[in-house]
């Protein structure tokens, strides 16, 4: 496999940098409460959309409890950990509470994907935002015990839910996803799904299955989607992806051959691209208008390792 170093910068990789000192590392003492910590930071969501406060430099997702007062107390209230030594919480309001903020120029209410694409908040805040969104989404979907069906209650500041009926403890889960740049000589394999924006080609990807290694998941998904057998596989880097709670595991795989047999239910198209073509796609100068995903996506970073390798 040709690429031996990582020449690309990951500074713009969305959700991959975090200021958070996690609460799960605190094993003793009472859990702080938002009402008792006036200096706390609050990540506030209306439904699953974050509220940002406008700053001179752009915006921040680290609000204060005062920012939530106009719309009522958030529920649930989760203690995430600490940012800059101060307690940090996540809270959810109903989706229609966004109306309390949208008309105020001091705030922005935009989708979490748009926050990352735009770079609307400083990069080190993005990881805190991802943690808050994933945890709040998990609580919204796991109000009942999978073991006995009874209601569960929030515990450990939000990093656990407990069933008072059968005693089962439930913990947030992260879903691992392999995303892979497949190479064959001086070309790489990129594909597109019908839901992609016109002209966008990206790396192939898929969820790991139970009992499967990362390497075997890369090989299986590539063969299932494109009919290509893969030999050597190497891990590069990862990216939290809070939609709802995945971890994108970025890899490079070396194809044994270049014949393609596409699964048209998964892919609208896939093809091999030379390094020069990939550079044009990254620069948005490809003669056919083809392009890669934006820099906040791990696929962009993987493609750049090939283009600059």
């Amino acid at each position: 496999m040709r690429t031996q170093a990582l020449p690309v910068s990951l500074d713009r990789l969305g959700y991959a940098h975090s200021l958070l000192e996690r609460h799960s590392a605190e094993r003793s003492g009472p859990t702080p409460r938002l009402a008792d910590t006036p200096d706390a930071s609050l990540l506030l969501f209306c439904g699953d959309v974050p509220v940002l406060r406008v700053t001179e430099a752009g915006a921040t997702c680290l609000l204060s409890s005062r920012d939530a007062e106009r719309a009522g107390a958030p529920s649930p209230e989760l203690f995430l950990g600490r940012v800059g030594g101060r307690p940090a919480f996540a809270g959810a309001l109903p989706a229609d509470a966004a109306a309390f903020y949208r008309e105020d120029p001091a705030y922005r209410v935009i989708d979490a994907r748009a926050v990352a694409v735009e770079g609307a908040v400083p990069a080190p805040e993005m990881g805190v935002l991802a943690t808050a969104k994933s945890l709040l989404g998990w609580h919204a979907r796991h109000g009942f015990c999978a073991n006995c069906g009874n209601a569960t209650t929030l515990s450990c500041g939000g990093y656990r839910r407990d069933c008072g009926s059968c005693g089962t403890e439930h913990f947030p889960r992260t879903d691992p996803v392999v995303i892979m740049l497949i190479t064959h000589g001086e070309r790489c394999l990129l594909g597109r799904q019908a839901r992609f924006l016109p002209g966008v080609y990206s790396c192939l990807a898929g969820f790991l299955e139970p009992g499967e290694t990362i390497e075997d998941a890369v090989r299986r998904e590539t063969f299932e989607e494109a009919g290509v057998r893969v030999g050597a596989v190497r891990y590069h880097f990862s990216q939290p992806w809070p939609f709802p709670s995945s971890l994108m595991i970025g890899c490079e795989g070396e194809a044994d051959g270049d014949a393609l047999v596409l699964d048209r239910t998964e892919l609208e198209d896939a093809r091999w691209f030379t390094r020069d073509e990939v550079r044009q796609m990254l620069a948005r100068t490809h003669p056919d208008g083809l392009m890669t995903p934006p820099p906040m996506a791990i696929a962009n970073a993987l493609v750049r390792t090939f283009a600059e390798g």
Side-chain angles (χ1 to χ4, degrees):
M1 193 172 297
R2 172 168 175 164
T3 304
Q4 297 299 318
L6 297 181
V8 303
S9 169
L10 301 180
D11 289 345
R12 295 189 63 186
L13 189 59
Y15 317 112
H17 310 279
S18 183
L19 296 169
L20 185 64
E21 179 184 344
R22 294 176 179 274
H23 162 54
S24 54
E26 297 185 11
R27 301 300 182 187
S28 61
T31 300
R33 296 176 62 251
L34 181 61
D36 300 331
T37 50
D39 65 336
S41 296
L42 172 65
L43 289 97
L44 186 64
F45 288 75
C46 297
D48 63 355
V49 180
V51 179
L52 311 180
R53 189 189 325 115
V54 174
T55 66
E56 290 184 1
T60 179
C61 61
L62 302 176
L63 281 58
S64 72
S65 58
R66 294 185 300 274
D67 292 302
E69 290 175 354
R70 65 178 62 196
S75 179
E77 173 191 307
L78 312 179
F79 174 50
L80 303 178
R82 301 181 187 275
V83 172
R86 302 188 307 171
F89 296 84
L93 297 169
D96 58 9
F100 290 100
Y101 300 94
R102 282 204 172 95
E103 303 303 320
D104 189 332
Y107 298 96
R108 297 187 66 193
V109 184
I110 60 174
D111 178 80
R113 281 188 178 85
V115 173
V117 171
E118 182 182 320
V121 303
E125 292 186 14
M126 289 299 303
V128 192
L129 184 71
T131 298
K133 186 179 186 305
S134 291
L135 272 179
L136 286 169
W138 178 74
H139 283 283
R141 297 188 305 275
H142 290 81
F144 295 90
C145 178
N147 187 52
C148 71
N150 284 290
T152 57
T153 57
L154 185 150
S155 64
C156 293
Y159 282 85
R160 198 176 83 200
R161 293 191 72 89
D162 295 342
C163 178
S165 179
C166 70
T168 301
E169 297 176 346
H170 300 274
F171 295 87
R173 306 304 297 263
T174 297
D175 299 318
V177 178
V178 290
I179 180 166
M180 47 277 184
L181 181 78
I182 304 302
T183 62
H184 188 257
E186 296 298 303
R187 297 181 298 165
C188 72
L189 177 63
L190 300 175
R192 60 170 284 109
Q193 297 180 1
R195 63 180 178 83
F196 287 6
L197 293 174
V200 172
Y201 279 75
S202 186
C203 300
L204 306 187
F207 286 96
L208 267 77
E209 295 186 349
E212 188 173 43
T213 66
I214 292 171
E215 294 84 356
D216 281 346
V218 167
R219 297 182 182 110
R220 174 184 55 78
E221 284 286 345
T222 303
F223 182 73
E224 288 177 356
E225 294 189 5
V228 173
R229 295 291 185 184
V230 172
V233 174
R234 186 159 72 98
Y235 167 80
H236 276 318
F237 32 72
S238 61
Q239 178 187 29
W241 192 250
F243 304 102
S245 187
S246 293
L247 178 67
M248 308 297 291
I249 303 170
C251 298
E252 183 177 348
E254 185 175 321
D256 293 338
D258 61 0
L260 299 179
V261 180
L262 303 186
D263 178 355
R264 295 293 181 177
T265 63
E266 292 285 340
L267 297 175
E268 182 180 79
D269 187 33
R271 65 182 79 170
W272 295 99
F273 292 90
T274 66
R275 291 183 195 274
D276 284 342
E277 286 181 291
V278 168
R279 294 184 185 113
Q280 291 174 327
M281 293 166 73
L282 287 164
R284 301 294 198 264
T285 59
H286 193 282
D288 296 329
L290 305 184
M291 64 192 80
T292 63
M296 57 78 65
I298 192 171
N300 182 284
L302 287 168
V303 169
R304 279 187 285 132
T305 63
F306 173 78
E308 300 175 17

